[in-house]
Amino acid sequence: MSAASPVSPAPPGRPFRLQLRRDGLALRALAAAVLSLACAGLLVALSGHEPLAVFAAMAAGAFGSPHQIGVALNRATPYLFAGSGVALCFRAGIINIGAEGQIALGGAGAAAVALALPDAPPALAVLAALAGGALAGAAWSGLAAAIHLGRGVHEVLVTLLLNFVALLLVQQLLAGPLGQPGAGFLQSPGLPAASWLWKAPELDAHAGLAVALAAAAALSVLLWLTPFGFALRVAGRSRPAAAYAGFSLSALTWSAMLIAGALAGLAGGAEVLGVHHRLIEGFSSGFGFKAVTVALLGALEPLAVVPAAVFVGLLEAGALAMQRQVGVPSALVAVIEGLTMLFVLAATVRRA
């Protein structure tokens, strides 16, 4: 970074740092799994269901067939995209909670481009639609960065509130130019088949996962092997020290937010192009906040976010099967999911 610049308008709060607990990691993870199973079994028994039958359904839902594994990987893909971006922002000391809205607008951007190019060749249609999603997500995160840096509003407040605005904006788009008349609920027409993401035969996992893996690897290189990544890490440790060293905090904030927004936009695009093949109201509900959980489970390391996202994807796929096959109430399923992630987080991650 070049010339020294004044400190960001946001007050320099306590640095937010996490790291993996590498000592006895396998035993800690095993203990977390046993404890979460014990708590889940107790809750299931109290609800009047047979714990062993519930766990069998959960395992079958996550690993029962190649298709089920593909379903889990598809659920992990948006978490991997958005979680990597959130981890990058947190590493830079920027608490970006806006992935929820950026994913929603990314899906809208991808759907709009796909519908605008009905006769495009498949490769061009897919690349253009994904680019549209990334640009939409980056534009929304850029708006948050502009308000944060221009008006001095804390980034947590800006990104959180813009989530609600983004969801309403997607609703308006589906009620207007992107909507399917007479559908009965808010959704777009089906996207052209040329814009659909390729899927692995039998596994049924779409190609968005490969893009997300490449993005996580690229972010790891960016964070640990480049001057820009060094500047981000210095800013995450101490913003006054980064400013004193000559790094532009505004430029770092803009860069981290735009990268994270683009990744969240890709998450929305991959979900629309690879799973639903149309834009549906609420398709991304909860994705952004779970991406924060995934980033924390990965100790803010982009590559460690990969197993964290896959873990949450498998957990969700299993939980859905548990609900569908045994009839466990959805509220209890959510509690079991949350408890499991909490145990794993406590066992594997600590403050640096």
Side-chain angles (χ1 to χ4, degrees):
M1 295 295 158
S2 57
S5 64
V7 183
S8 168
R14 187 181 178 186
F16 186 81
R17 300 191 297 271
L18 295 174
Q19 68 179 29
L20 283 175
R21 304 175 71 173
R22 300 181 190 279
D23 52 316
L25 180 61
L27 285 178
R28 290 176 187 278
L30 180 62
V34 170
L35 281 174
S36 60
L37 283 175
C39 289
L42 178 61
L43 291 173
V44 167
L46 290 175
S47 70
H49 294 84
E50 173 58 45
L52 290 180
V54 168
F55 292 148
M58 190 174 185
F63 304 103
S65 68
H67 171 74
Q68 287 302 121
I69 295 174
V71 169
L73 294 178
N74 286 341
R75 295 194 72 86
T77 299
Y79 301 145
L80 179 53
F81 269 124
S84 299
V86 169
L88 184 76
C89 282
F90 281 20
R91 277 281 177 186
I94 305 162
I95 311 302
N96 172 19
I97 312 294
E100 185 85 8
Q102 294 152 18
I103 293 172
L105 281 176
V113 172
L115 290 172
L117 300 172
D119 300 321
L124 176 62
V126 169
L127 290 176
L130 287 177
L135 286 174
W140 202 246
S141 65
L143 176 62
I147 296 173
H148 166 58
L149 293 171
R151 305 302 301 170
V153 184
H154 199 285
E155 74 269 20
V156 172
L157 187 61
V158 177
T159 52
L160 183 64
L161 294 182
L162 281 179
N163 286 333
F164 303 105
V165 180
L167 297 180
L168 291 174
L169 186 55
V170 172
Q171 283 184 7
Q172 289 302 308
L173 290 172
L174 286 174
L178 290 183
Q180 181 180 26
F185 47 90
L186 294 177
Q187 67 174 26
S188 74
L191 304 181
S195 64
W196 296 0
L197 292 179
W198 176 82
K199 287 188 176 181
E202 296 187 2
L203 193 60
D204 220 22
H206 60 69
L209 178 65
V211 181
L213 288 171
L219 273 193
S220 185
V221 171
L222 182 74
L223 186 62
W224 294 106
L225 299 178
T226 68
F228 172 70
F230 174 73
L232 283 180
R233 287 184 282 124
V234 171
R237 289 276 180 175
S238 170
R239 296 178 76 80
Y244 183 77
F247 299 125
S248 168
L249 294 178
S250 295
L252 291 174
T253 301
W254 273 106
S255 302
M257 287 293 289
L258 290 176
I259 292 172
L263 289 172
L266 282 173
E271 185 72 8
V272 167
L273 301 174
V275 177
H276 303 294
H277 302 150
R278 66 172 74 233
L279 180 64
I280 302 173
E281 182 193 19
F283 79 95
S284 61
S285 179
F287 283 10
F289 297 111
K290 284 190 177 177
V292 175
T293 304
V294 166
L296 296 177
L297 284 173
L300 309 183
E301 300 278 350
L303 278 183
V305 170
V306 175
V310 172
F311 165 72
V312 173
L314 289 169
L315 182 63
E316 286 196 350
L320 283 176
M322 182 170 66
Q323 182 181 353
R324 186 172 55 248
Q325 296 177 16
V326 188
V328 177
S330 58
L332 180 56
V333 170
V335 170
I336 292 173
E337 281 186 43
L339 276 177
T340 304
M341 287 189 276
L342 183 62
F343 278 121
V344 173
L345 180 65
T348 59
V349 177
R350 66 183 174 195
R351 290 190 71 98

PDB file of all heavy atoms in Angstrom, residues 81-104:
ATOM      1  N   PHE A  81     -18.676 -20.559  -0.322  1.00  0.00           N
ATOM      2  CA  PHE A  81     -18.455 -19.281  -0.987  1.00  0.00           C
ATOM      3  C   PHE A  81     -18.510 -18.129   0.026  1.00  0.00           C
ATOM      4  O   PHE A  81     -17.560 -17.340   0.169  1.00  0.00           O
ATOM      5  CB  PHE A  81     -19.554 -19.057  -2.041  1.00  0.00           C
ATOM      6  CG  PHE A  81     -19.238 -19.569  -3.411  1.00  0.00           C
ATOM      7  CD1 PHE A  81     -20.071 -20.466  -4.048  1.00  0.00           C
ATOM      8  CD2 PHE A  81     -18.119 -19.125  -4.093  1.00  0.00           C
ATOM      9  CE1 PHE A  81     -19.800 -20.934  -5.323  1.00  0.00           C
ATOM     10  CE2 PHE A  81     -17.828 -19.578  -5.377  1.00  0.00           C
ATOM     11  CZ  PHE A  81     -18.685 -20.485  -5.993  1.00  0.00           C
ATOM     12  N   ALA A  82     -19.656 -18.012   0.682  1.00  0.00           N
ATOM     13  CA  ALA A  82     -19.869 -16.855   1.556  1.00  0.00           C
ATOM     14  C   ALA A  82     -18.996 -16.915   2.809  1.00  0.00           C
ATOM     15  O   ALA A  82     -18.498 -15.876   3.271  1.00  0.00           O
ATOM     16  CB  ALA A  82     -21.341 -16.769   1.944  1.00  0.00           C
ATOM     17  N   GLY A  83     -18.786 -18.122   3.347  1.00  0.00           N
ATOM     18  CA  GLY A  83     -17.964 -18.246   4.552  1.00  0.00           C
ATOM     19  C   GLY A  83     -16.524 -17.835   4.307  1.00  0.00           C
ATOM     20  O   GLY A  83     -15.880 -17.237   5.181  1.00  0.00           O
ATOM     21  N   SER A  84     -15.998 -18.136   3.111  1.00  0.00           N
ATOM     22  CA  SER A  84     -14.626 -17.720   2.796  1.00  0.00           C
ATOM     23  C   SER A  84     -14.518 -16.194   2.791  1.00  0.00           C
ATOM     24  O   SER A  84     -13.552 -15.621   3.306  1.00  0.00           O
ATOM     25  CB  SER A  84     -14.219 -18.280   1.430  1.00  0.00           C
ATOM     26  OG  SER A  84     -14.251 -19.682   1.430  1.00  0.00           O
ATOM     27  N   GLY A  85     -15.509 -15.539   2.195  1.00  0.00           N
ATOM     28  CA  GLY A  85     -15.492 -14.074   2.162  1.00  0.00           C
ATOM     29  C   GLY A  85     -15.637 -13.464   3.544  1.00  0.00           C
ATOM     30  O   GLY A  85     -14.961 -12.481   3.882  1.00  0.00           O
ATOM     31  N   VAL A  86     -16.528 -14.054   4.351  1.00  0.00           N
ATOM     32  CA  VAL A  86     -16.698 -13.555   5.722  1.00  0.00           C
ATOM     33  C   VAL A  86     -15.392 -13.722   6.501  1.00  0.00           C
ATOM     34  O   VAL A  86     -14.976 -12.827   7.252  1.00  0.00           O
ATOM     35  CB  VAL A  86     -17.855 -14.313   6.413  1.00  0.00           C
ATOM     36  CG1 VAL A  86     -17.878 -14.004   7.914  1.00  0.00           C
ATOM     37  CG2 VAL A  86     -19.187 -13.932   5.782  1.00  0.00           C
ATOM     38  N   ALA A  87     -14.725 -14.870   6.318  1.00  0.00           N
ATOM     39  CA  ALA A  87     -13.455 -15.102   7.018  1.00  0.00           C
ATOM     40  C   ALA A  87     -12.414 -14.052   6.627  1.00  0.00           C
ATOM     41  O   ALA A  87     -11.669 -13.549   7.474  1.00  0.00           O
ATOM     42  CB  ALA A  87     -12.940 -16.506   6.701  1.00  0.00           C
ATOM     43  N   LEU A  88     -12.376 -13.714   5.338  1.00  0.00           N
ATOM     44  CA  LEU A  88     -11.414 -12.694   4.886  1.00  0.00           C
ATOM     45  C   LEU A  88     -11.693 -11.347   5.556  1.00  0.00           C
ATOM     46  O   LEU A  88     -10.772 -10.660   6.023  1.00  0.00           O
ATOM     47  CB  LEU A  88     -11.484 -12.551   3.359  1.00  0.00           C
ATOM     48  CG  LEU A  88     -10.459 -11.596   2.752  1.00  0.00           C
ATOM     49  CD1 LEU A  88      -9.085 -12.254   2.725  1.00  0.00           C
ATOM     50  CD2 LEU A  88     -10.867 -11.164   1.352  1.00  0.00           C
ATOM     51  N   CYS A  89     -12.966 -10.964   5.601  1.00  0.00           N
ATOM     52  CA  CYS A  89     -13.318  -9.690   6.237  1.00  0.00           C
ATOM     53  C   CYS A  89     -12.970  -9.700   7.718  1.00  0.00           C
ATOM     54  O   CYS A  89     -12.406  -8.731   8.243  1.00  0.00           O
ATOM     55  CB  CYS A  89     -14.820  -9.410   6.050  1.00  0.00           C
ATOM     56  SG  CYS A  89     -15.262  -8.788   4.420  1.00  0.00           S
ATOM     57  N   PHE A  90     -13.314 -10.792   8.395  1.00  0.00           N
ATOM     58  CA  PHE A  90     -13.021 -10.862   9.829  1.00  0.00           C
ATOM     59  C   PHE A  90     -11.514 -10.801  10.073  1.00  0.00           C
ATOM     60  O   PHE A  90     -11.051 -10.223  11.056  1.00  0.00           O
ATOM     61  CB  PHE A  90     -13.603 -12.146  10.427  1.00  0.00           C
ATOM     62  CG  PHE A  90     -15.081 -12.084  10.698  1.00  0.00           C
ATOM     63  CD1 PHE A  90     -15.886 -11.149  10.065  1.00  0.00           C
ATOM     64  CD2 PHE A  90     -15.680 -12.953  11.582  1.00  0.00           C
ATOM     65  CE1 PHE A  90     -17.254 -11.097  10.305  1.00  0.00           C
ATOM     66  CE2 PHE A  90     -17.047 -12.913  11.840  1.00  0.00           C
ATOM     67  CZ  PHE A  90     -17.826 -11.977  11.196  1.00  0.00           C
ATOM     68  N   ARG A  91     -10.737 -11.435   9.188  1.00  0.00           N
ATOM     69  CA  ARG A  91      -9.279 -11.377   9.307  1.00  0.00           C
ATOM     70  C   ARG A  91      -8.778  -9.939   9.222  1.00  0.00           C
ATOM     71  O   ARG A  91      -7.770  -9.567   9.818  1.00  0.00           O
ATOM     72  CB  ARG A  91      -8.642 -12.196   8.188  1.00  0.00           C
ATOM     73  CG  ARG A  91      -8.556 -13.662   8.463  1.00  0.00           C
ATOM     74  CD  ARG A  91      -7.383 -13.965   9.382  1.00  0.00           C
ATOM     75  NE  ARG A  91      -7.333 -15.384   9.723  1.00  0.00           N
ATOM     76  CZ  ARG A  91      -6.470 -15.875  10.597  1.00  0.00           C
ATOM     77  NH1 ARG A  91      -5.609 -15.079  11.198  1.00  0.00           N
ATOM     78  NH2 ARG A  91      -6.465 -17.148  10.887  1.00  0.00           N
ATOM     79  N   ALA A  92      -9.472  -9.124   8.425  1.00  0.00           N
ATOM     80  CA  ALA A  92      -9.081  -7.725   8.272  1.00  0.00           C
ATOM     81  C   ALA A  92      -9.685  -6.835   9.349  1.00  0.00           C
ATOM     82  O   ALA A  92      -9.534  -5.612   9.282  1.00  0.00           O
ATOM     83  CB  ALA A  92      -9.501  -7.227   6.891  1.00  0.00           C
ATOM     84  N   GLY A  93     -10.399  -7.443  10.308  1.00  0.00           N
ATOM     85  CA  GLY A  93     -11.011  -6.650  11.370  1.00  0.00           C
ATOM     86  C   GLY A  93     -12.307  -5.981  10.954  1.00  0.00           C
ATOM     87  O   GLY A  93     -12.765  -5.053  11.612  1.00  0.00           O
ATOM     88  N   ILE A  94     -12.915  -6.471   9.864  1.00  0.00           N
ATOM     89  CA  ILE A  94     -14.175  -5.915   9.369  1.00  0.00           C
ATOM     90  C   ILE A  94     -15.277  -6.931   9.650  1.00  0.00           C
ATOM     91  O   ILE A  94     -15.268  -8.033   9.083  1.00  0.00           O
ATOM     92  CB  ILE A  94     -14.105  -5.637   7.849  1.00  0.00           C
ATOM     93  CG1 ILE A  94     -12.924  -4.733   7.538  1.00  0.00           C
ATOM     94  CG2 ILE A  94     -15.407  -5.033   7.343  1.00  0.00           C
ATOM     95  CD1 ILE A  94     -12.521  -4.744   6.077  1.00  0.00           C
ATOM     96  N   ILE A  95     -16.209  -6.594  10.507  1.00  0.00           N
ATOM     97  CA  ILE A  95     -17.259  -7.527  10.897  1.00  0.00           C
ATOM     98  C   ILE A  95     -18.397  -7.394   9.891  1.00  0.00           C
ATOM     99  O   ILE A  95     -19.339  -6.622  10.068  1.00  0.00           O
ATOM    100  CB  ILE A  95     -17.737  -7.266  12.334  1.00  0.00           C
ATOM    101  CG1 ILE A  95     -16.537  -7.158  13.275  1.00  0.00           C
ATOM    102  CG2 ILE A  95     -18.665  -8.387  12.790  1.00  0.00           C
ATOM    103  CD1 ILE A  95     -15.643  -8.369  13.290  1.00  0.00           C
ATOM    104  N   ASN A  96     -18.294  -8.158   8.824  1.00  0.00           N
ATOM    105  CA  ASN A  96     -19.275  -8.128   7.740  1.00  0.00           C
ATOM    106  C   ASN A  96     -20.364  -9.158   8.024  1.00  0.00           C
ATOM    107  O   ASN A  96     -20.143 -10.356   7.937  1.00  0.00           O
ATOM    108  CB  ASN A  96     -18.558  -8.438   6.417  1.00  0.00           C
ATOM    109  CG  ASN A  96     -19.512  -8.617   5.256  1.00  0.00           C
ATOM    110  OD1 ASN A  96     -20.675  -8.183   5.322  1.00  0.00           O
ATOM    111  ND2 ASN A  96     -19.045  -9.239   4.200  1.00  0.00           N
ATOM    112  N   ILE A  97     -21.577  -8.657   8.332  1.00  0.00           N
ATOM    113  CA  ILE A  97     -22.706  -9.551   8.619  1.00  0.00           C
ATOM    114  C   ILE A  97     -23.704  -9.509   7.453  1.00  0.00           C
ATOM    115  O   ILE A  97     -24.850  -9.907   7.584  1.00  0.00           O
ATOM    116  CB  ILE A  97     -23.406  -9.114   9.939  1.00  0.00           C
ATOM    117  CG1 ILE A  97     -22.387  -8.877  11.037  1.00  0.00           C
ATOM    118  CG2 ILE A  97     -24.375 -10.185  10.433  1.00  0.00           C
ATOM    119  CD1 ILE A  97     -21.664 -10.126  11.474  1.00  0.00           C
ATOM    120  N   GLY A  98     -23.263  -9.009   6.311  1.00  0.00           N
ATOM    121  CA  GLY A  98     -24.197  -8.753   5.221  1.00  0.00           C
ATOM    122  C   GLY A  98     -24.278  -9.824   4.159  1.00  0.00           C
ATOM    123  O   GLY A  98     -24.875  -9.588   3.098  1.00  0.00           O
ATOM    124  N   ALA A  99     -23.725 -11.011   4.412  1.00  0.00           N
ATOM    125  CA  ALA A  99     -23.742 -12.042   3.375  1.00  0.00           C
ATOM    126  C   ALA A  99     -25.159 -12.460   2.991  1.00  0.00           C
ATOM    127  O   ALA A  99     -25.415 -12.819   1.840  1.00  0.00           O
ATOM    128  CB  ALA A  99     -22.944 -13.262   3.846  1.00  0.00           C
ATOM    129  N   GLU A 100     -26.084 -12.393   3.949  1.00  0.00           N
ATOM    130  CA  GLU A 100     -27.462 -12.819   3.666  1.00  0.00           C
ATOM    131  C   GLU A 100     -28.048 -12.021   2.485  1.00  0.00           C
ATOM    132  O   GLU A 100     -28.586 -12.594   1.539  1.00  0.00           O
ATOM    133  CB  GLU A 100     -28.316 -12.612   4.918  1.00  0.00           C
ATOM    134  CG  GLU A 100     -29.737 -13.120   4.807  1.00  0.00           C
ATOM    135  CD  GLU A 100     -29.845 -14.598   5.136  1.00  0.00           C
ATOM    136  OE1 GLU A 100     -28.851 -15.188   5.582  1.00  0.00           O
ATOM    137  OE2 GLU A 100     -30.938 -15.161   4.911  1.00  0.00           O
ATOM    138  N   GLY A 101     -27.943 -10.706   2.560  1.00  0.00           N
ATOM    139  CA  GLY A 101     -28.477  -9.880   1.482  1.00  0.00           C
ATOM    140  C   GLY A 101     -27.668  -9.990   0.199  1.00  0.00           C
ATOM    141  O   GLY A 101     -28.219  -9.941  -0.911  1.00  0.00           O
ATOM    142  N   GLN A 102     -26.359 -10.125   0.349  1.00  0.00           N
ATOM    143  CA  GLN A 102     -25.506 -10.231  -0.841  1.00  0.00           C
ATOM    144  C   GLN A 102     -25.778 -11.534  -1.595  1.00  0.00           C
ATOM    145  O   GLN A 102     -25.748 -11.561  -2.831  1.00  0.00           O
ATOM    146  CB  GLN A 102     -24.042 -10.144  -0.409  1.00  0.00           C
ATOM    147  CG  GLN A 102     -23.657  -8.787   0.154  1.00  0.00           C
ATOM    148  CD  GLN A 102     -22.517  -8.852   1.159  1.00  0.00           C
ATOM    149  OE1 GLN A 102     -21.775  -9.831   1.215  1.00  0.00           O
ATOM    150  NE2 GLN A 102     -22.372  -7.813   1.967  1.00  0.00           N
ATOM    151  N   ILE A 103     -26.057 -12.603  -0.885  1.00  0.00           N
ATOM    152  CA  ILE A 103     -26.414 -13.872  -1.543  1.00  0.00           C
ATOM    153  C   ILE A 103     -27.734 -13.714  -2.293  1.00  0.00           C
ATOM    154  O   ILE A 103     -27.876 -14.151  -3.443  1.00  0.00           O
ATOM    155  CB  ILE A 103     -26.511 -14.997  -0.498  1.00  0.00           C
ATOM    156  CG1 ILE A 103     -25.142 -15.295   0.107  1.00  0.00           C
ATOM    157  CG2 ILE A 103     -27.082 -16.263  -1.122  1.00  0.00           C
ATOM    158  CD1 ILE A 103     -25.182 -16.265   1.280  1.00  0.00           C
ATOM    159  N   ALA A 104     -28.709 -13.094  -1.644  1.00  0.00           N
ATOM    160  CA  ALA A 104     -30.022 -12.918  -2.281  1.00  0.00           C
ATOM    161  C   ALA A 104     -29.897 -12.105  -3.566  1.00  0.00           C
ATOM    162  O   ALA A 104     -30.454 -12.470  -4.611  1.00  0.00           O
ATOM    163  CB  ALA A 104     -30.980 -12.243  -1.303  1.00  0.00           C
TER     164      ALA A 104
END
